Amino acid sequence: MGKSRSGRRQAAVEAVVEPVDGGLAELIPDRDRPRAWTLLIDGAPQSHVDLDDPAYLSFEYQRRLGHVIDLVAPTGKPVQAVHLGGGALTLARYVAATRPRSTQQVVERDAALVQLVRRELPLDPGARIRIRSVDGREGLAKVPDGWADLVMADVFSGARTPAHLTSTEFLDEVRRALKPDGCYAANLADGPPLAHLRGQIATAAARFQELALIADPTVLRGKRFGNAVLVASDRPLPVAELTRRAASDPHPGRVEHGRQLTDFTGGAVPVTDAAAVASPAPPPSVFR
């Protein structure tokens, strides 16, 4: 019991609370991991980082993106990756730890958040990570044609994905930046009736030959609000291995692909810039 009280005192002393461009940022120490932190923006959990073990992914959706990173190229091979949305740089740290000598570009428009994370959660000085504090599409436009093995989108403003990062025109920029056999992965959030998620699948299907979706079965059934990871490429995806890894997660996920994924879209049509809207706001109960 005494240790628990000490942990609470330590957390109270060491929490970092600071305004950033996107709201109020909080870095909360993890009681179970000495140098691990959770980043919240306006009370919404954004990232978890363990400075001693950057290959540890705590959040469910980040584990699923980690599976994609693991399978995008042979184990340990360096990759060129673009991260749209930085947060606490969890996935960039993961790539650097699991694929040394990788070259990465992070696009995070919240410059104050970047400064906070750099100061409180410093990057390995040997990591080849460049950070641009600009809008996601603006930063993506600066990536050379055919440069990236992997483009990952995890962009939220006020817990919603901005509309201009949900369209076919946006995915045209993603395709331009990717190598011909490159892979795109996006963290999407939605709840019943899943109109946003279905539209995003239809949009990706209009630009990529191969798709897969990883999510909690209850989210796919429209029973609750949650995250889903969409994976897209013009090469065959490692669906069997993604399925095995997702099923073995602490919170098991399901992988949909092929005809089942097409049927899941329910006739949704691709989203264009002219019709795009931000993803739905999560209900307040999600963060309680």
Side-chain angles (χ1 to χ4, degrees), residues 83 85-87 89 106-111 113-114 131-134:
H83 304 262
L89 307 175
V106 177
V107 182
E108 171 54 67
R109 71 177 299 170
D110 193 328
L113 176 61
V114 171
I131 304 173
R132 286 192 174 106
S133 295
V134 296

Side-chain angles (χ1 to χ4, degrees), residues 8-39:
R8 285 195 293 271
R9 283 197 301 271
Q10 182 183 26
V13 169
E14 295 187 0
V16 178
V17 181
E18 194 168 298
V20 294
D21 299 339
L24 187 66
E26 298 174 82
L27 287 172
I28 309 298
D30 186 330
R31 297 177 189 174
D32 300 319
R33 290 176 168 260
R35 296 184 70 224
W37 302 76
T38 297
L39 168 68

Side-chain angles (χ1 to χ4, degrees), residues 4-220:
S4 175
R5 284 198 298 269
S6 173
R8 285 195 293 271
R9 283 197 301 271
Q10 182 183 26
V13 169
E14 295 187 0
V16 178
V17 181
E18 194 168 298
V20 294
D21 299 339
L24 187 66
E26 298 174 82
L27 287 172
I28 309 298
D30 186 330
R31 297 177 189 174
D32 300 319
R33 290 176 168 260
R35 296 184 70 224
W37 302 76
T38 297
L39 168 68
L40 292 82
I41 304 291
D42 287 341
Q46 302 288 325
S47 307
H48 179 279
V49 169
D50 188 335
L51 297 179
D52 288 334
D53 184 9
Y56 173 76
L57 300 176
S58 175
F59 285 9
E60 182 179 286
Y61 84 87
Q62 290 182 329
R63 286 181 63 88
R64 290 169 183 160
L65 288 168
H67 298 328
V68 178
I69 293 167
D70 292 344
L71 298 172
V72 74
T75 302
K77 181 183 177 182
V79 296
Q80 296 181 168
V82 177
H83 304 262
L84 304 179
L89 307 175
T90 303
L91 291 169
R93 298 172 202 265
Y94 182 85
V95 171
T98 59
R99 296 179 177 276
R101 302 182 309 284
S102 291
T103 304
Q104 303 183 75
Q105 298 187 37
V106 177
V107 182
E108 171 54 67
R109 71 177 299 170
D110 193 328
L113 176 61
V114 171
Q115 292 178 352
L116 171 65
V117 169
R118 282 188 179 278
R119 186 185 74 232
E120 299 294 337
L121 309 175
L123 287 165
D124 180 339
R128 301 176 181 179
I129 300 173
R130 178 181 181 180
I131 304 173
R132 286 192 174 106
S133 295
V134 296
D135 172 76
R137 259 170 85 162
E138 182 182 344
L140 183 61
K142 296 181 184 299
V143 177
D145 292 2
W147 183 83
D149 296 290
L150 178 64
V151 173
M152 282 179 287
D154 182 19
V155 184
F156 288 86
S157 176
R160 304 177 70 183
T161 301
H164 68 294
L165 302 181
T166 68
S167 66
T168 51
E169 291 92 339
F170 164 66
L171 289 186
D172 287 337
E173 273 296 295
V174 170
R175 281 182 62 93
R176 181 199 58 75
L178 281 172
K179 296 177 181 178
D181 63 347
C183 186
Y184 170 65
N187 175 35
L188 308 173
D190 200 7
L194 299 178
H196 174 72
L197 183 57
R198 298 181 206 276
Q200 287 303 285
I201 297 166
T203 304
R207 291 298 185 266
F208 290 95
Q209 296 179 24
E210 301 287 338
L211 302 182
L213 186 74
I214 316 170
D216 186 298
T218 60
V219 173
L220 291 176

